Amino acid sequence: LADALAAAVAGCLADDASAVCEAAVDLLAESRSAAAAHAAAALMQSPEPRVRGYAAAALARMGDAAMPAFARLLIDTDRDV
């Protein structure tokens, strides 16, 4: 996914409808792109646990494409990340 599209799809992880969130997880995970991983990782700092959960699910399914994003999360100083 291109950067702008990945960001738009990742924004759907915060949608009120769980079906929309699940579709976004599927699309991000299937793309396995660095842009998708970066967009999903940014949502790991959401104050909403549900949003963080969907973002984590997308990252977990991306495999190696998500490793740089996970590395950034591991060194984040915010204890809620």
Side-chain angles (χ1 to χ4, degrees):
L1 292 176
D3 292 357
L5 182 56
V9 172
C12 293
L13 296 176
D15 196 275
D16 289 335
S18 61
V20 171
C21 297
E22 291 165 10
V25 166
D26 288 343
L27 186 57
L28 290 169
E30 288 176 18
S31 79
R32 296 182 185 269
S33 72
H38 180 73
L43 289 174
M44 291 298 296
Q45 296 182 18
S46 170
E48 297 294 324
R50 183 180 66 80
V51 174
R52 291 193 308 270
Y54 282 122
L59 287 168
R61 291 181 44 201
M62 285 182 200
D64 291 344
M67 286 303 127
F70 275 126
R72 284 191 301 277
L73 292 172
L74 288 173
I75 61 172
D76 194 303
T77 58
D78 184 342
R79 45 184 292 200
D80 291 329
V81 171

